[in-house]
Amino acid sequence: MQGQWFHLIRRPDGMPRPEDFALVSGPLPDLAADEVLVENLFLSVDPYMRECMDAEWALHQPLEGRSLGRVIASRAATLPVGSLVYHRQGWRSHAVLPAAGAVVLTPPPGVPLRAWLGLLGGTGLTAYVALTRIARLQPGEDVFINAAGGGVGMAAALMARRLGAGRIVGSTGSASKAQALMAQGIFDQVVDYHDAHATEALQAALPGGAQIALENVGGQQLDQTISLMAERGRIAWVGAVSLYNGSGAPPQPKLYDIVGKSLTLQGFLVRDYRPVQGELEDWLLPALQQGELPLADTVVHGLERCADALIAMLQGKNLGKMVLALQGAAAQ
């Protein structure tokens, strides 16, 4: 049986280009004892992948990523053919992996499988941990989210609304994206940070300052986040997407206002909060089943578009979580 894999064939210089990757075909290996063959259905496309390309990912090897698929052959008694699973062998049509390397999923009626890459996956868990464990959002508190149209940004806005936040204000990278986010009915205000009057518009939208912020961008936009905070506000630092494609020293934010405002700025790694996954699912699954929540994702179809989807996500062309759907995904 043949499979396909995306390889990284050269280290990107700045923004990745399609020619940095190659789609390779070849025979799939035979299964060893306790191994399964998974046909991948959905692949996750995430900002962290850009950092991996600088050193962590080996050249001319299949790449890594969160994935959802169906077991189509098995030599593991615990994982029969037909099982739907989550695993981390992405960027490929099929994955051979030990049964212990897969998590069995049983989506309830009305909940698409791909939700386990978005609101119910690492993206949603990041947003939920940021709001409930790091920033400790309380009902009525105002929230600021930059990279508001990204996967974590949109998930955080949806969750903040359900947690009883006051005003929810965001910034994003284009006027059209700001309009699209406003059309979702989640945010009270979204501003294009390129606009010459962006700072004034954000200050007007948060006249008393934000008690809570999710920082997804870093660099100079972290300065803006700090400037928008109310005294004793809490900032959950999730990522720094503005720096992933850069070379040389990143711009240094002016951090002293953290002292002047008695702010809390705390980073975290979502992998340290895996036990919270069950709590997240218990909270969101009923709402997803009843159609109360959008999946907040952008779906690109076809394994051959892996690199295109990654580049589009890094350029901010997605709205919500970027997901790649492979052949066979339509049934899920």
Side-chain angles (χ1 to χ4, degrees), residues 1-5 23-30 37-40 72 92-96 303 326-327:
M1 184 175 181
Q2 295 287 111
Q4 291 183 302
W5 305 266
L23 183 60
V24 178
S25 301
L28 294 166
D30 294 333
L37 173 63
V38 176
E39 177 189 22
N40 283 336
I72 60 172
R92 66 198 82 190
S93 62
H94 297 78
V96 174
L303 179 67
L326 276 61
Q327 185 177 1

PDB file of all heavy atoms in Angstrom, residues 1-5 23-30 37-40 72 92-96 303 326-327:
ATOM      1  N   MET A   1       0.839  -1.190   0.000  1.00  0.00           N
ATOM      2  CA  MET A   1       0.000   0.000   0.000  1.00  0.00           C
ATOM      3  C   MET A   1       0.884   1.253   0.000  1.00  0.00           C
ATOM      4  O   MET A   1       1.888   1.305   0.702  1.00  0.00           O
ATOM      5  CB  MET A   1      -0.932   0.007   1.223  1.00  0.00           C
ATOM      6  CG  MET A   1      -1.904   1.161   1.251  1.00  0.00           C
ATOM      7  SD  MET A   1      -3.046   1.023   2.634  1.00  0.00           S
ATOM      8  CE  MET A   1      -4.046   2.474   2.363  1.00  0.00           C
ATOM      9  N   GLN A   2       0.508   2.243  -0.798  1.00  0.00           N
ATOM     10  CA  GLN A   2       1.286   3.472  -0.922  1.00  0.00           C
ATOM     11  C   GLN A   2       0.781   4.565   0.023  1.00  0.00           C
ATOM     12  O   GLN A   2      -0.410   4.645   0.325  1.00  0.00           O
ATOM     13  CB  GLN A   2       1.214   3.997  -2.364  1.00  0.00           C
ATOM     14  CG  GLN A   2       1.858   3.072  -3.401  1.00  0.00           C
ATOM     15  CD  GLN A   2       3.372   3.091  -3.321  1.00  0.00           C
ATOM     16  OE1 GLN A   2       3.996   2.113  -2.919  1.00  0.00           O
ATOM     17  NE2 GLN A   2       3.967   4.197  -3.716  1.00  0.00           N
ATOM     18  N   GLY A   3       1.699   5.395   0.466  1.00  0.00           N
ATOM     19  CA  GLY A   3       1.347   6.554   1.261  1.00  0.00           C
ATOM     20  C   GLY A   3       2.046   7.787   0.743  1.00  0.00           C
ATOM     21  O   GLY A   3       2.916   7.710  -0.141  1.00  0.00           O
ATOM     22  N   GLN A   4       1.682   8.927   1.274  1.00  0.00           N
ATOM     23  CA  GLN A   4       2.307  10.194   0.911  1.00  0.00           C
ATOM     24  C   GLN A   4       2.709  10.954   2.175  1.00  0.00           C
ATOM     25  O   GLN A   4       2.005  10.903   3.185  1.00  0.00           O
ATOM     26  CB  GLN A   4       1.352  11.067   0.083  1.00  0.00           C
ATOM     27  CG  GLN A   4       1.059  10.534  -1.303  1.00  0.00           C
ATOM     28  CD  GLN A   4       0.171  11.483  -2.083  1.00  0.00           C
ATOM     29  OE1 GLN A   4      -0.931  11.814  -1.655  1.00  0.00           O
ATOM     30  NE2 GLN A   4       0.649  11.934  -3.233  1.00  0.00           N
ATOM     31  N   TRP A   5       3.850  11.649   2.091  1.00  0.00           N
ATOM     32  CA  TRP A   5       4.374  12.408   3.224  1.00  0.00           C
ATOM     33  C   TRP A   5       4.872  13.757   2.726  1.00  0.00           C
ATOM     34  O   TRP A   5       5.417  13.854   1.621  1.00  0.00           O
ATOM     35  CB  TRP A   5       5.562  11.696   3.870  1.00  0.00           C
ATOM     36  CG  TRP A   5       5.306  10.298   4.309  1.00  0.00           C
ATOM     37  CD1 TRP A   5       4.930   9.876   5.555  1.00  0.00           C
ATOM     38  CD2 TRP A   5       5.424   9.100   3.521  1.00  0.00           C
ATOM     39  NE1 TRP A   5       4.791   8.513   5.589  1.00  0.00           N
ATOM     40  CE2 TRP A   5       5.082   8.002   4.350  1.00  0.00           C
ATOM     41  CE3 TRP A   5       5.771   8.858   2.187  1.00  0.00           C
ATOM     42  CZ2 TRP A   5       5.089   6.691   3.896  1.00  0.00           C
ATOM     43  CZ3 TRP A   5       5.765   7.546   1.729  1.00  0.00           C
ATOM     44  CH2 TRP A   5       5.440   6.480   2.583  1.00  0.00           C
ATOM     45  N   LEU A  23       6.353  16.882  -1.501  1.00  0.00           N
ATOM     46  CA  LEU A  23       5.407  15.803  -1.266  1.00  0.00           C
ATOM     47  C   LEU A  23       5.998  14.528  -1.845  1.00  0.00           C
ATOM     48  O   LEU A  23       6.291  14.452  -3.040  1.00  0.00           O
ATOM     49  CB  LEU A  23       4.057  16.115  -1.920  1.00  0.00           C
ATOM     50  CG  LEU A  23       2.936  15.100  -1.698  1.00  0.00           C
ATOM     51  CD1 LEU A  23       2.633  14.939  -0.218  1.00  0.00           C
ATOM     52  CD2 LEU A  23       1.674  15.534  -2.458  1.00  0.00           C
ATOM     53  N   VAL A  24       6.207  13.526  -0.980  1.00  0.00           N
ATOM     54  CA  VAL A  24       6.912  12.295  -1.337  1.00  0.00           C
ATOM     55  C   VAL A  24       5.953  11.120  -1.210  1.00  0.00           C
ATOM     56  O   VAL A  24       5.138  11.065  -0.285  1.00  0.00           O
ATOM     57  CB  VAL A  24       8.130  12.088  -0.410  1.00  0.00           C
ATOM     58  CG1 VAL A  24       8.850  10.792  -0.735  1.00  0.00           C
ATOM     59  CG2 VAL A  24       9.078  13.276  -0.510  1.00  0.00           C
ATOM     60  N   SER A  25       6.052  10.180  -2.137  1.00  0.00           N
ATOM     61  CA  SER A  25       5.228   8.969  -2.103  1.00  0.00           C
ATOM     62  C   SER A  25       6.117   7.749  -1.908  1.00  0.00           C
ATOM     63  O   SER A  25       7.292   7.745  -2.297  1.00  0.00           O
ATOM     64  CB  SER A  25       4.437   8.817  -3.410  1.00  0.00           C
ATOM     65  OG  SER A  25       3.594   9.925  -3.621  1.00  0.00           O
ATOM     66  N   GLY A  26       5.532   6.694  -1.328  1.00  0.00           N
ATOM     67  CA  GLY A  26       6.283   5.462  -1.146  1.00  0.00           C
ATOM     68  C   GLY A  26       5.430   4.401  -0.491  1.00  0.00           C
ATOM     69  O   GLY A  26       4.305   4.658  -0.041  1.00  0.00           O
ATOM     70  N   PRO A  27       5.951   3.163  -0.413  1.00  0.00           N
ATOM     71  CA  PRO A  27       5.195   2.076   0.217  1.00  0.00           C
ATOM     72  C   PRO A  27       5.151   2.244   1.735  1.00  0.00           C
ATOM     73  O   PRO A  27       6.108   2.716   2.352  1.00  0.00           O
ATOM     74  CB  PRO A  27       5.987   0.822  -0.177  1.00  0.00           C
ATOM     75  CG  PRO A  27       7.377   1.324  -0.403  1.00  0.00           C
ATOM     76  CD  PRO A  27       7.241   2.712  -0.961  1.00  0.00           C
ATOM     77  N   LEU A  28       4.028   1.853   2.308  1.00  0.00           N
ATOM     78  CA  LEU A  28       3.894   1.876   3.763  1.00  0.00           C
ATOM     79  C   LEU A  28       4.537   0.629   4.350  1.00  0.00           C
ATOM     80  O   LEU A  28       4.467  -0.461   3.770  1.00  0.00           O
ATOM     81  CB  LEU A  28       2.414   1.927   4.146  1.00  0.00           C
ATOM     82  CG  LEU A  28       1.678   3.213   3.742  1.00  0.00           C
ATOM     83  CD1 LEU A  28       0.167   3.026   3.865  1.00  0.00           C
ATOM     84  CD2 LEU A  28       2.143   4.375   4.593  1.00  0.00           C
ATOM     85  N   PRO A  29       5.175   0.753   5.530  1.00  0.00           N
ATOM     86  CA  PRO A  29       5.820  -0.417   6.135  1.00  0.00           C
ATOM     87  C   PRO A  29       4.799  -1.411   6.664  1.00  0.00           C
ATOM     88  O   PRO A  29       3.655  -1.056   6.975  1.00  0.00           O
ATOM     89  CB  PRO A  29       6.643   0.200   7.274  1.00  0.00           C
ATOM     90  CG  PRO A  29       5.924   1.460   7.628  1.00  0.00           C
ATOM     91  CD  PRO A  29       5.364   1.981   6.330  1.00  0.00           C
ATOM     92  N   ASP A  30       5.211  -2.662   6.782  1.00  0.00           N
ATOM     93  CA  ASP A  30       4.364  -3.680   7.403  1.00  0.00           C
ATOM     94  C   ASP A  30       4.211  -3.374   8.897  1.00  0.00           C
ATOM     95  O   ASP A  30       5.101  -2.797   9.529  1.00  0.00           O
ATOM     96  CB  ASP A  30       4.979  -5.064   7.227  1.00  0.00           C
ATOM     97  CG  ASP A  30       5.004  -5.509   5.768  1.00  0.00           C
ATOM     98  OD1 ASP A  30       4.144  -5.036   4.995  1.00  0.00           O
ATOM     99  OD2 ASP A  30       5.905  -6.293   5.407  1.00  0.00           O
ATOM    100  N   LEU A  37      -2.292   0.863  11.534  1.00  0.00           N
ATOM    101  CA  LEU A  37      -2.195   1.748  10.380  1.00  0.00           C
ATOM    102  C   LEU A  37      -3.405   2.672  10.415  1.00  0.00           C
ATOM    103  O   LEU A  37      -4.549   2.217  10.441  1.00  0.00           O
ATOM    104  CB  LEU A  37      -2.174   0.939   9.083  1.00  0.00           C
ATOM    105  CG  LEU A  37      -2.234   1.754   7.779  1.00  0.00           C
ATOM    106  CD1 LEU A  37      -1.010   2.659   7.641  1.00  0.00           C
ATOM    107  CD2 LEU A  37      -2.362   0.819   6.570  1.00  0.00           C
ATOM    108  N   VAL A  38      -3.133   3.961  10.431  1.00  0.00           N
ATOM    109  CA  VAL A  38      -4.186   4.979  10.519  1.00  0.00           C
ATOM    110  C   VAL A  38      -4.258   5.753   9.209  1.00  0.00           C
ATOM    111  O   VAL A  38      -3.236   6.242   8.710  1.00  0.00           O
ATOM    112  CB  VAL A  38      -3.910   5.951  11.684  1.00  0.00           C
ATOM    113  CG1 VAL A  38      -4.960   7.067  11.719  1.00  0.00           C
ATOM    114  CG2 VAL A  38      -3.887   5.203  13.013  1.00  0.00           C
ATOM    115  N   GLU A  39      -5.448   5.836   8.655  1.00  0.00           N
ATOM    116  CA  GLU A  39      -5.695   6.737   7.533  1.00  0.00           C
ATOM    117  C   GLU A  39      -6.027   8.107   8.121  1.00  0.00           C
ATOM    118  O   GLU A  39      -7.037   8.268   8.813  1.00  0.00           O
ATOM    119  CB  GLU A  39      -6.871   6.239   6.689  1.00  0.00           C
ATOM    120  CG  GLU A  39      -7.224   7.166   5.537  1.00  0.00           C
ATOM    121  CD  GLU A  39      -8.525   6.787   4.849  1.00  0.00           C
ATOM    122  OE1 GLU A  39      -9.366   6.102   5.468  1.00  0.00           O
ATOM    123  OE2 GLU A  39      -8.699   7.187   3.684  1.00  0.00           O
ATOM    124  N   ASN A  40      -5.172   9.083   7.871  1.00  0.00           N
ATOM    125  CA  ASN A  40      -5.410  10.413   8.425  1.00  0.00           C
ATOM    126  C   ASN A  40      -6.583  11.088   7.728  1.00  0.00           C
ATOM    127  O   ASN A  40      -6.714  11.030   6.499  1.00  0.00           O
ATOM    128  CB  ASN A  40      -4.156  11.280   8.312  1.00  0.00           C
ATOM    129  CG  ASN A  40      -3.128  10.932   9.363  1.00  0.00           C
ATOM    130  OD1 ASN A  40      -3.457  10.401  10.419  1.00  0.00           O
ATOM    131  ND2 ASN A  40      -1.869  11.221   9.081  1.00  0.00           N
ATOM    132  N   ILE A  72      -7.246   1.546   9.913  1.00  0.00           N
ATOM    133  CA  ILE A  72      -7.675   0.719   8.778  1.00  0.00           C
ATOM    134  C   ILE A  72      -6.983  -0.639   8.771  1.00  0.00           C
ATOM    135  O   ILE A  72      -7.348  -1.509   7.976  1.00  0.00           O
ATOM    136  CB  ILE A  72      -7.453   1.443   7.437  1.00  0.00           C
ATOM    137  CG1 ILE A  72      -5.986   1.795   7.215  1.00  0.00           C
ATOM    138  CG2 ILE A  72      -8.331   2.695   7.358  1.00  0.00           C
ATOM    139  CD1 ILE A  72      -5.705   2.336   5.812  1.00  0.00           C
ATOM    140  N   ARG A  92       0.981  13.707   6.578  1.00  0.00           N
ATOM    141  CA  ARG A  92       1.075  12.484   5.790  1.00  0.00           C
ATOM    142  C   ARG A  92      -0.324  11.898   5.614  1.00  0.00           C
ATOM    143  O   ARG A  92      -1.239  12.190   6.379  1.00  0.00           O
ATOM    144  CB  ARG A  92       1.998  11.479   6.463  1.00  0.00           C
ATOM    145  CG  ARG A  92       1.512  10.939   7.799  1.00  0.00           C
ATOM    146  CD  ARG A  92       2.621  10.301   8.609  1.00  0.00           C
ATOM    147  NE  ARG A  92       3.375  11.323   9.323  1.00  0.00           N
ATOM    148  CZ  ARG A  92       4.528  11.095   9.967  1.00  0.00           C
ATOM    149  NH1 ARG A  92       5.074   9.893   9.959  1.00  0.00           N
ATOM    150  NH2 ARG A  92       5.135  12.072  10.605  1.00  0.00           N
ATOM    151  N   SER A  93      -0.475  11.061   4.595  1.00  0.00           N
ATOM    152  CA  SER A  93      -1.782  10.459   4.320  1.00  0.00           C
ATOM    153  C   SER A  93      -2.098   9.338   5.292  1.00  0.00           C
ATOM    154  O   SER A  93      -3.263   9.134   5.652  1.00  0.00           O
ATOM    155  CB  SER A  93      -1.818   9.923   2.884  1.00  0.00           C
ATOM    156  OG  SER A  93      -0.833   8.900   2.707  1.00  0.00           O
ATOM    157  N   HIS A  94      -1.082   8.575   5.692  1.00  0.00           N
ATOM    158  CA  HIS A  94      -1.248   7.437   6.583  1.00  0.00           C
ATOM    159  C   HIS A  94      -0.141   7.450   7.635  1.00  0.00           C
ATOM    160  O   HIS A  94       0.951   7.965   7.381  1.00  0.00           O
ATOM    161  CB  HIS A  94      -1.182   6.113   5.818  1.00  0.00           C
ATOM    162  CG  HIS A  94      -2.268   5.939   4.804  1.00  0.00           C
ATOM    163  ND1 HIS A  94      -2.232   6.571   3.574  1.00  0.00           N
ATOM    164  CD2 HIS A  94      -3.423   5.223   4.830  1.00  0.00           C
ATOM    165  CE1 HIS A  94      -3.316   6.241   2.880  1.00  0.00           C
ATOM    166  NE2 HIS A  94      -4.049   5.424   3.615  1.00  0.00           N
ATOM    167  N   ALA A  95      -0.428   6.882   8.779  1.00  0.00           N
ATOM    168  CA  ALA A  95       0.557   6.813   9.853  1.00  0.00           C
ATOM    169  C   ALA A  95       0.582   5.401  10.423  1.00  0.00           C
ATOM    170  O   ALA A  95      -0.468   4.806  10.673  1.00  0.00           O
ATOM    171  CB  ALA A  95       0.222   7.810  10.962  1.00  0.00           C
ATOM    172  N   VAL A  96       1.777   4.866  10.596  1.00  0.00           N
ATOM    173  CA  VAL A  96       1.973   3.605  11.308  1.00  0.00           C
ATOM    174  C   VAL A  96       2.488   3.963  12.695  1.00  0.00           C
ATOM    175  O   VAL A  96       3.526   4.621  12.827  1.00  0.00           O
ATOM    176  CB  VAL A  96       2.975   2.694  10.576  1.00  0.00           C
ATOM    177  CG1 VAL A  96       3.283   1.460  11.414  1.00  0.00           C
ATOM    178  CG2 VAL A  96       2.423   2.294   9.211  1.00  0.00           C
ATOM    179  N   LEU A 303      -4.239  16.871   0.940  1.00  0.00           N
ATOM    180  CA  LEU A 303      -2.896  16.771   1.523  1.00  0.00           C
ATOM    181  C   LEU A 303      -1.891  17.617   0.751  1.00  0.00           C
ATOM    182  O   LEU A 303      -0.980  18.203   1.346  1.00  0.00           O
ATOM    183  CB  LEU A 303      -2.439  15.304   1.532  1.00  0.00           C
ATOM    184  CG  LEU A 303      -1.039  15.052   2.108  1.00  0.00           C
ATOM    185  CD1 LEU A 303      -1.005  15.355   3.600  1.00  0.00           C
ATOM    186  CD2 LEU A 303      -0.598  13.611   1.849  1.00  0.00           C
ATOM    187  N   LEU A 326      -8.350  15.702   4.678  1.00  0.00           N
ATOM    188  CA  LEU A 326      -7.829  14.768   3.681  1.00  0.00           C
ATOM    189  C   LEU A 326      -8.965  13.938   3.094  1.00  0.00           C
ATOM    190  O   LEU A 326     -10.104  14.012   3.533  1.00  0.00           O
ATOM    191  CB  LEU A 326      -6.777  13.857   4.324  1.00  0.00           C
ATOM    192  CG  LEU A 326      -5.343  14.410   4.408  1.00  0.00           C
ATOM    193  CD1 LEU A 326      -5.289  15.690   5.238  1.00  0.00           C
ATOM    194  CD2 LEU A 326      -4.399  13.378   5.004  1.00  0.00           C
ATOM    195  N   GLN A 327      -8.615  13.139   2.108  1.00  0.00           N
ATOM    196  CA  GLN A 327      -9.594  12.258   1.493  1.00  0.00           C
ATOM    197  C   GLN A 327     -10.214  11.367   2.560  1.00  0.00           C
ATOM    198  O   GLN A 327      -9.528  10.792   3.392  1.00  0.00           O
ATOM    199  CB  GLN A 327      -8.903  11.402   0.425  1.00  0.00           C
ATOM    200  CG  GLN A 327      -9.862  10.527  -0.363  1.00  0.00           C
ATOM    201  CD  GLN A 327      -9.151   9.758  -1.470  1.00  0.00           C
ATOM    202  OE1 GLN A 327      -7.943   9.860  -1.629  1.00  0.00           O
ATOM    203  NE2 GLN A 327      -9.886   8.989  -2.235  1.00  0.00           N
TER     204      GLN A 327
END
